[in-house]
Structures are given as structure tokens and as C-alpha cells.
Amino acid sequence: MTGFTFEHPWFLLALLPVLAAFWVRARGRPATLKVSSLTSARQAGTGLRVRLRWLPDVVQLLALILLVVAMSRPQMVDREMLSGEGIDIMIALDMSGSMNAIDLSEKAIARIQEAGGEPLNRFGTARKILKSFIKRRKADRIGLVVFGAEAYLRFPPTLDYVRLLNALDALILDDGRRQSDTDECTNKCTIQGSGTTIGDALNRAYMRLENSTASSKMVILITDGKQEGGSMQPLTVPKYVASLPERERVRIYTFQVGSGRETRLPAYDPLRGQVLRDRFGRKVYQPPPRPFPTDPDLLREIATLTGATFYESYDPDKFETDFKDLERTTFKVKVHTNRRELFFGWLLAGFAMLGLEQLLRRTWLRTFP
């Protein structure tokens, strides 16, 4: 990022008396000479030098302006935004069935649909925010663990953000529909959503960071539910992390998405297994048959044990605000500034203008008296 600035901008105030002096001079009466007759002068006409008699004054004004700017120390500033610490990050993303929920009121959903769109569910909102987050990183290695009924590594920590973003785009959330003769997802989901294995997800994420040599390591856990299924208890990894020396700890930042206050799910035709739509072709949303269980106390304890922060992101706007807060407080961005002095060029130009002004006054545009 390049910009123009002054080291001593207050010197620019000297332009005011300079301009005022020239304004007074321009309004002053010119020097006069009494002659007996103007007939000869009128016959001679007005030559080019007479018409340009104002030029030395203008050149002098430009010279003074250039010298004042030179005293203000003009500089060209190049700012380079550098990534903070080179952090190693593992994202643990919930893909359980409840992530299909939408945390918006009926009126908010209607406004989005009337504009020709469909509201993002919890998973879609999380994916959108994570993609923006990844695109803003520069030197941080980022990996991805997804979890539902099971947990598995989707992408190891990498600086190849393009491939990581492609992996995020390729994730398919379980919508709850099943093949009639098997237990497989009808929509070819990435992972079955009939569980929320938080403990297993944290274990897989931590194992990828345990031997990292980065100066800082962290896990970002995004979930909307409580522990259901899995082989490891959710506090096993946080308690182990808390027992380590400070320099070896992995901070686990936790996000509880959704609140249950304004929760809706897409409605499906039970016979055809298709999404229900109204007469305008828009999806129909309805309250879930039962409340989705949450465990904010667990997520708060996980964050506290590891020296991190718990965020209760009850709707899409709050989720986005919380994630920006995480970036602002955790990812310190350094700015490398390179200043290039322009003083000498302005000074040289000012003196050159003064020389030109004197040359004009003493030669071609010399006046009398």
C-alpha cells in the first residue's frame, strides 16, 4: 500500500502568508510614468513581452510554494502488511445434522427470499466466515477437522489456501435423508450427522499440532451442540493441554453457534423425500420437532482451561462479529513502513524556479522603471 505524506505538515501553513502577499500585490496599483502624449504608444501596439509581464511574479509564487512544500518534508510511504506470528491453526467444524438449522425469524427469512435468495444455515454461515478468514491469512498454516457421528482429518495444516478453500467448498452437510435400503446419505454427505463427537474432533486437531514448531498454536472449535457419541470425552484434551508448560499449550477457541430461540429447518415431503417449496418455488422452513441440545458450559470450560475465549454466537450476525473479535485480539498484524524522502526534488525545483524568475526579470522581461 503506497501513500504520500509530510513529516512536518505544519510548515504548509506558511503558504497562507505567501498567497496573501501575492494577492495584495496583484490588487496594488502599477507604477506610472507621466508622458505628454500616448499617441506613439498606441500606434506601437502591445507586444508579447508586454502581455507576459505577469510571468515572473507567477514563477516566483510557484518557487515559494515549492520551497514551503520542501520544508514540510514530503515522503512517499510504502506500507507492507505482514502476518503476525506465523500461527499453526486447526479448525474443528461441526457437521452434525443440527447444522442445517437457520437462526432467523420468519420475517428475516421472508425478506431474503423476496430478494431472490435463500438464508444460509449454520453450516453455510460457518463456511462463509471461515473462507473469509482463510483469505485474510498470509503466513499461518491452517488445517481442517470435520466431525459429526465421527471425526476425521479433512486437511492437514497448510499454506496452500487455495486447496484448503476447495476442500471447504467440497463439504456436503448431511440433510437427514437416507437411502431406502442402506443407511447412506441421499445427498452424498461428507460425514454422517447423527452425532457430535467433540472429544474425538479435539483429539484429532491436537494431534496435528502437538509436534508443531510454530511460536503459537490454536484450535478453533465451531459447534452447535453437545457431546453425543465418540470414544473420547470432550475435556480430555483441554485438561491435558492445561497441564503442559505455557510455551507448549494449544489454545482452543470455542464457538457455540445457534441459540434455539429462532430456529428453523427446511421442510421435507415425507413421501418423496424432497424439499417442500411454496407456490413461488421458495423453500419452506419449520420449527424442529425437538429442541437441539447445547452445552455452552462445556465450551466455556474448554476455552478457559486452555487460556482461550468462548463465544456464544446465537445468530449469523453475532457469529461474524465474534469471529472478527477473535481475529482482532489474536492475530496481531505488523506493518512494515518504508519512507522515501522527496525533499531534495521539491527543493531543487523551488531554487530552479527562483533562478528562472530572476533570469526573466533581468533579461527578456526586464521592466522600467
Side-chain angles (χ1 to χ4, degrees), residues 62-362:
L62 291 176
L64 292 177
I65 291 174
L66 289 170
L67 292 175
V68 170
V69 173
M71 288 191 301
S72 303
R73 292 275 303 278
Q75 297 173 336
M76 189 64 70
V77 180
D78 295 321
R79 291 186 177 89
E80 182 182 4
M81 307 300 287
L82 303 176
S83 183
E85 303 176 353
I87 302 173
D88 275 5
I89 307 163
M90 286 300 300
I91 298 168
L93 179 59
D94 190 349
M95 293 189 69
S96 60
S98 56
M99 291 290 282
N100 284 287
I102 294 168
D103 297 292
L104 294 172
S105 65
E106 285 188 46
K107 290 183 178 179
I109 294 174
R111 284 196 298 270
I112 294 172
Q113 290 181 323
E114 287 169 2
E118 290 289 347
L120 289 176
N121 57 26
R122 293 172 179 174
F123 176 75
T125 301
R127 176 158 53 187
K128 175 186 173 184
I129 291 172
L130 286 173
K131 288 174 67 175
S132 297
F133 167 74
I134 292 168
K135 290 175 182 177
R136 288 191 290 270
R137 307 273 56 81
K138 289 187 179 295
D140 305 318
R141 296 201 313 156
I142 306 175
L144 176 65
V145 168
V146 295
F147 63 98
E150 299 175 311
Y152 73 89
L153 177 69
R154 185 67 182 85
F155 217 96
T158 182
L159 289 171
D160 190 347
Y161 300 149
V162 173
R163 291 182 62 193
L164 179 58
L165 290 169
N166 290 337
L168 263 175
D169 283 331
L171 296 177
I172 301 174
L173 185 65
D174 183 358
D175 62 8
R177 293 178 294 170
R178 294 290 182 268
Q179 301 282 354
S180 58
D181 54 342
T182 67
D183 195 35
E184 295 181 1
C185 303
T186 303
N187 67 334
K188 302 186 184 300
C189 61
T190 301
I191 191 169
Q192 288 198 3
S194 55
T196 310
T197 55
I198 295 174
D200 290 1
L202 291 179
N203 181 52
R204 290 191 179 276
Y206 175 76
M207 294 297 289
R208 281 291 169 170
L209 296 176
E210 187 176 22
N211 298 320
S212 167
T213 58
S215 59
S216 184
K217 298 172 283 188
M218 62 185 292
V219 174
I220 300 175
L221 172 65
I222 300 173
T223 182
D224 69 342
K226 62 184 297 184
Q227 171 83 6
E228 289 185 1
S231 58
M232 184 168 289
Q233 292 301 310
L235 289 178
T236 301
V237 170
K239 287 180 178 179
Y240 175 73
V241 169
S243 69
L244 297 174
E246 181 68 29
R247 65 180 181 277
E248 298 179 18
R249 292 186 183 178
V250 175
R251 293 166 292 166
I252 303 177
Y253 292 85
T254 55
F255 287 81
Q256 171 77 62
V257 296
S259 66
R261 293 195 295 267
E262 293 280 3
T263 303
R264 285 168 176 77
L265 287 171
Y268 287 93
D269 184 332
L271 296 179
R272 299 177 179 82
Q274 297 176 349
V275 177
L276 286 178
R277 297 182 180 271
D278 61 17
R279 60 192 180 91
F280 300 107
R282 300 176 298 201
K283 289 183 180 180
V284 175
Y285 297 92
Q286 61 186 13
R290 61 178 179 83
F292 296 126
T294 60
D295 197 348
D297 292 336
L298 169 66
L299 299 183
R300 184 177 290 106
E301 186 173 3
I302 290 172
T304 302
L305 283 170
T306 61
T309 306
F310 163 66
Y311 295 95
E312 194 165 7
S313 307
Y314 48 77
D315 64 25
D317 291 338
K318 181 67 163 53
F319 188 11
E320 188 167 3
T321 300
D322 289 343
F323 221 91
K324 288 180 179 177
D325 179 75
L326 170 67
E327 291 190 74
R328 184 174 59 252
T329 58
T330 305
F331 297 87
K332 306 298 182 183
V333 177
K334 297 178 182 178
V335 180
H336 173 71
T337 302
N338 179 41
R339 295 177 181 268
R340 181 162 53 90
E341 290 285 354
L342 304 177
F343 162 80
F344 184 73
W346 288 83
L347 183 66
L348 188 63
F351 282 130
M353 283 290 185
L354 283 178
L356 176 62
E357 180 251 343
Q358 289 298 314
L359 181 64
L360 290 173
R361 289 191 190 280
R362 296 177 185 275

Side-chain angles (χ1 to χ4, degrees), residues 5-17 68-74:
T5 188
F6 295 96
E7 181 72 15
H8 307 304
W10 52 86
F11 275 112
L12 294 174
L13 293 174
L15 291 174
L16 297 177
V68 170
V69 173
M71 288 191 301
S72 303
R73 292 275 303 278

